[in-house]
Amino acid sequence: MTTETELPPVETYIIPNLGGILTTGDLYKKGKFDYSAWAKTAQRIREYAPNWFFALEPNPDGGFIWKAPDNTGYILGYFQNVVTGVELPLYHYAITKGFNQTIPFDEISSNDLQKAHRRCLCACACYSFGAVSYTHLRAHET
């Protein structure tokens, strides 16, 4: 005689798919690539993924810059749904200066952190939502 095992209920969460939310009007040219301003990306996320907010994971000391093995720094960003409490996976983002050169940990400034935070928001949106990319974009025509 076989008995059926009752499985516990599974909670499912809808993670927004934000692919294609930028239009050509949202882009500007920088060199040979199309970019979207971080503020436009944040605006589109608020419009198309309400209740999902971007945050940084604090390091063990309570700050937001994590020390890499090569003595540079990075941040860990993620999106959290403020209604359900669901947190999406962490996204690692190196703190860099021009031409994506990493910065020695002890030389990272608050301005470097500010720039990395904005860039991480955009990259993490791509990672988490299939969303707008802040680089190498080809937007849908409006």
Side-chain angles (χ1 to χ4, degrees), residues 56-67 74 76 105:
L56 294 180
E57 179 76 9
N59 67 30
D61 297 326
F64 293 106
I65 301 172
W66 294 70
K67 194 171 197 174
Y74 63 94
L76 295 172
F105 187 83

Side-chain angles (χ1 to χ4, degrees), residues 14-94:
I14 296 174
I15 298 173
N17 178 357
L18 302 184
I21 63 171
L22 285 184
T23 66
T24 53
D26 295 331
L27 304 179
Y28 67 94
K29 203 73 148 166
K30 184 176 178 184
K32 56 184 174 179
F33 298 109
D34 294 325
Y35 284 81
S36 170
W38 72 268
K40 179 55 75 175
T41 300
Q43 176 190 359
R44 294 293 190 217
I45 291 167
R46 281 193 223 62
E47 288 174 14
Y48 293 97
N51 304 322
W52 289 93
F53 286 84
F54 181 71
L56 294 180
E57 179 76 9
N59 67 30
D61 297 326
F64 293 106
I65 301 172
W66 294 70
K67 194 171 197 174
D70 65 353
N71 199 40
T72 59
Y74 63 94
I75 56 178
L76 295 172
Y78 65 95
F79 279 92
Q80 179 176 17
N81 187 301
V82 295
V83 174
T84 65
V86 170
E87 291 181 9
L88 298 182
L90 295 170
Y91 185 82
H92 175 275
Y93 194 87

Side-chain angles (χ1 to χ4, degrees), residues 99-119:
F99 302 102
N100 289 324
Q101 296 175 343
T102 56
I103 303 170
F105 187 83
D106 293 333
E107 296 177 22
I108 295 172
S109 70
S110 60
N111 192 49
D112 296 326
L113 176 58
Q114 173 186 310
K115 290 177 190 175
H117 178 273
R118 292 173 178 175
R119 293 171 181 157

